[in-house]
Amino acid sequence: MAADIFPRKKPANSSSTSVQQYHQQNLSNNNLIPAPNWQGLYPTIRERNAMMFNNDLMADVHFVVGPPGGTQRLPGHKYVLAVGSSVFHAMFYGELAEDKDEIRIPDVEPAAFLAMLKYIYCDEIDLAADTVLATLYAAKKYIVPHLARACVNFLETSLSAKNACVLLSQSCLFEEPDLTQRCWEVIDAQAELALKSEGFCDIDFQTLESILRRETVNAKEIVVFEAALNWAEVECQRQDLALSIENKRKVLGKALYLIRIPTMALDDFANGAAQSGVLTLNETNDIFLWYTAAKKPELQFVSKARKGLVPQRCHRFQSCAYRSNQWRYRGRCDSIQFAVDKRVFIAGFGLYGSSCGSAEYSAKIELKRQGVVLGQNLSKYFSDGSSNTFPVWFEYPVQIEPDTFYTASVILDGNELSYFGQEGMTEVQCGKVTVQFQCSSDSTNGTGVQGGQIPELIFYA
């Protein structure tokens, strides 16, 4: 499952490869008799303990780790293990301790068990994307809290719309409320990306229900509906059921009624949900009546639209102005750099419009980090001649990590002069988020910290 959460190219049989990598790190001492007086070669107890990691020398217990057909026999030293874990202490020195030379652990992956042993023996945390969830499971099982915290931090750092739904499921399983909250933040703000991800189809039924119940999921209801059907298709395969409309409805069960079908746009319902075959004829007729009739029928579906998220606006200028020769647009770039102190999701920019009456502009907006484009969109907006700002949106909100500068850019095409900001601020407090601004070398049309375009960042936090 972890391989799906963090997709990347990897060799076949990655678990075995990871184990071999750990063995390779200890090739000089694993199953070998060390040089005489080897203790004198290592000045600290940490280094001498590290020599015992994955080493048969003086081993007084062995673990057969992994499921049948994929086991690995690993050496251990009871004293070292007991010092690192209260579970191992109880296992080897507690009142109910059993004097076994070999202990079978079928529910832990060998690579994850080795990662835990490496922490206990060497005081080193070595995590990988394809084994971090299994390592977290091992750390929880054997009560190694600092390693577990490191695993959670790794997962939070790696969190994105592609893996947020699966990590939500796992965070609930591992009882990690902080990670759960981070997952919800991503799912709410980037709901459509999260619902369309492959990982969404891997979640359990309980997690599916919790997402479908969520008031703050910021997505069109037709996207929620299509995601639920995709999940149902994969669930049928997991349960070895034929891929039929009846079985899709069967695996969805009462969760189907958590989809707020009556809140869809009528076109989305007529061209999507109504023709999906999942709804009964009576349900389809009643929902059509719900849209059109003065006396609306009672529905089993939730008919109240989701609240979604309210975007926040960070305005960086204290005033705006216009002059007879500014602000012109001739295909040049207006750009500014910014950084935040908390993770946010940039939904779009607020831009100035015409200072000479109503006008239409074509805007290409872009968001980059260290030269890499994270989001862009080409759209048009109409300005009414006022000094107000006008929102231009990305297709999907873009995740922004704290303490890193990003570049916001726009190329405008319009015949009319526009308003421009002045008295710009280098730091703006917007709710609980602090935003810092600095000039960008990409800016070729005059925009900077003190004045210009892109007066607002529109974001979810």
Side-chain angles (χ1 to χ4, degrees):
M1 182 178 291
D4 296 327
I5 297 174
F6 305 98
R8 64 176 187 172
K9 292 182 179 180
K10 61 181 187 297
N13 196 3
S14 59
S15 176
S16 175
T17 301
S18 299
V19 174
Q20 291 169 2
Q21 289 171 348
Y22 277 108
H23 280 300
Q24 186 65 32
Q25 291 169 358
N26 296 288
L27 194 60
S28 61
N29 61 315
N30 188 39
N31 297 323
L32 295 179
I33 299 175
N37 192 31
W38 62 269
Q39 294 88 342
L41 300 176
Y42 302 97
T44 67
I45 185 65
R46 177 179 175 275
E47 290 173 295
R48 292 191 291 275
N49 264 354
M51 278 292 294
M52 295 295 99
F53 166 56
N54 198 22
N55 195 333
D56 271 315
L57 180 67
M58 296 185 286
D60 50 2
V61 66
H62 283 80
F63 300 95
V64 179
V65 185
T71 60
Q72 185 80 26
R73 193 171 188 270
L74 303 173
H77 306 79
K78 293 180 179 179
Y79 167 74
V80 178
L81 295 170
V83 169
S85 161
S86 59
V87 174
F88 283 129
H89 182 273
M91 187 183 297
F92 300 134
Y93 302 107
E95 294 181 0
L96 301 178
E98 297 183 16
D99 189 19
K100 290 183 178 180
D101 294 331
E102 189 172 273
I103 298 173
R104 295 188 176 274
I105 308 176
D107 59 329
V108 178
E109 294 180 13
F113 196 78
L114 274 167
M116 182 180 68
L117 292 185
K118 187 172 186 179
Y119 172 75
I120 292 174
Y121 279 80
C122 310
D123 200 25
E124 294 179 18
I125 296 175
D126 189 7
L127 300 175
D130 54 353
T131 57
V132 63
L133 279 173
T135 304
L136 176 59
Y137 174 78
K140 288 278 190 175
K141 177 176 180 176
Y142 292 99
I143 312 181
V144 187
H146 297 292
L147 178 60
R149 185 67 248 170
C151 291
V152 172
N153 289 339
F154 184 98
L155 292 170
E156 288 181 355
T157 302
S158 309
L159 187 60
S160 70
K162 292 181 179 180
N163 58 31
C165 294
V166 175
L167 289 184
L168 174 67
S169 177
Q170 296 297 316
S171 67
C172 295
L173 176 65
F174 291 129
E175 298 181 341
E176 289 290 342
D178 290 343
L179 180 57
T180 300
Q181 178 59 30
R182 298 291 183 275
C183 291
W184 277 127
E185 290 171 2
V186 174
I187 293 169
D188 284 345
Q190 296 183 300
E192 294 197 1
L193 284 175
L195 293 171
K196 292 177 180 178
S197 69
E198 292 183 9
F200 178 79
C201 294
D202 292 330
I203 61 177
D204 58 86
F205 183 77
Q206 185 176 357
T207 304
L208 174 72
E209 284 189 307
S210 67
I211 293 175
L212 296 182
R213 283 195 181 96
R214 186 82 171 170
E215 281 286 338
T216 46
V217 167
N218 207 40
K220 295 178 181 178
E221 205 63 29
I222 185 62
V223 176
V224 177
F225 178 80
E226 290 171 349
L229 290 190
N230 290 337
W231 179 90
E233 182 174 327
V234 175
E235 182 65 15
C236 285
Q237 294 171 357
R238 281 191 288 262
Q239 296 187 23
D240 292 326
L241 298 174
L243 289 180
S244 65
I245 297 296
E246 293 76 15
N247 284 335
K248 287 182 182 180
R249 178 157 181 142
K250 176 182 177 182
V251 298
L252 281 171
K254 293 183 179 180
L256 177 65
Y257 297 111
L258 298 175
I259 305 171
R260 307 185 184 196
I261 294 177
T263 69
M264 290 181 185
L266 179 56
D267 285 350
D268 288 340
F269 173 70
N271 297 315
Q275 298 188 46
S276 67
V278 173
L279 305 179
T280 66
L281 183 59
N282 285 340
E283 288 170 342
T284 303
N285 290 338
D286 284 348
I287 294 172
F288 268 121
L289 288 174
W290 175 269
Y291 282 108
T292 56
K295 184 179 179 181
K296 300 184 182 301
E298 290 188 6
L299 301 175
Q300 287 185 273
F301 295 92
V302 179
S303 57
K304 183 180 178 182
R306 300 179 197 273
K307 295 178 181 178
L309 294 178
V310 178
Q312 300 184 45
R313 293 174 179 249
C314 175
H315 196 92
R316 66 188 188 93
F317 295 123
Q318 299 181 69
S319 65
C320 68
Y322 68 90
R323 301 191 185 112
S324 60
N325 62 342
Q326 291 181 284
W327 203 266
R328 291 187 182 277
Y329 304 103
R330 296 169 180 167
R332 291 182 296 210
C333 181
D334 287 288
S335 183
I336 191 72
Q337 288 194 330
F338 70 93
V340 294
D341 64 343
K342 293 180 176 62
R343 174 183 283 167
V344 300
F345 302 86
I346 296 293
F349 305 146
L351 303 176
Y352 287 122
S354 170
S355 58
C356 305
S358 61
E360 187 178 65
Y361 290 89
S362 174
K364 179 184 178 182
I365 59 173
E366 190 174 77
L367 198 56
K368 295 190 295 186
R369 177 182 179 182
Q370 297 177 346
V372 178
V373 177
L374 304 177
Q376 62 181 6
N377 199 19
L378 179 62
S379 61
K380 293 182 179 181
Y381 70 96
F382 182 83
S383 68
D384 57 9
S386 71
S387 60
N388 296 331
T389 60
F390 301 91
V392 180
W393 307 94
F394 289 104
E395 184 178 4
Y396 302 109
V398 180
Q399 182 171 309
I400 302 297
E401 298 299 334
D403 306 321
T404 300
F405 273 96
Y406 293 77
T407 303
S409 302
V410 61
I411 297 176
L412 288 170
D413 184 14
N415 295 326
E416 301 294 343
L417 297 171
S418 83
Y419 288 91
F420 61 91
Q422 56 186 12
E423 298 182 278
M425 296 172 283
T426 58
E427 184 173 298
V428 179
Q429 187 69 34
C430 190
K432 296 181 180 180
V433 180
T434 302
V435 187
Q436 293 181 318
F437 294 96
Q438 68 180 24
C439 293
S440 167
S441 60
D442 290 351
S443 191
T444 57
N445 200 43
T447 288
V449 172
Q450 295 302 317
Q453 260 286 9
I454 316 181
E456 286 181 337
L457 300 177
I458 307 174
F459 65 93
Y460 303 116

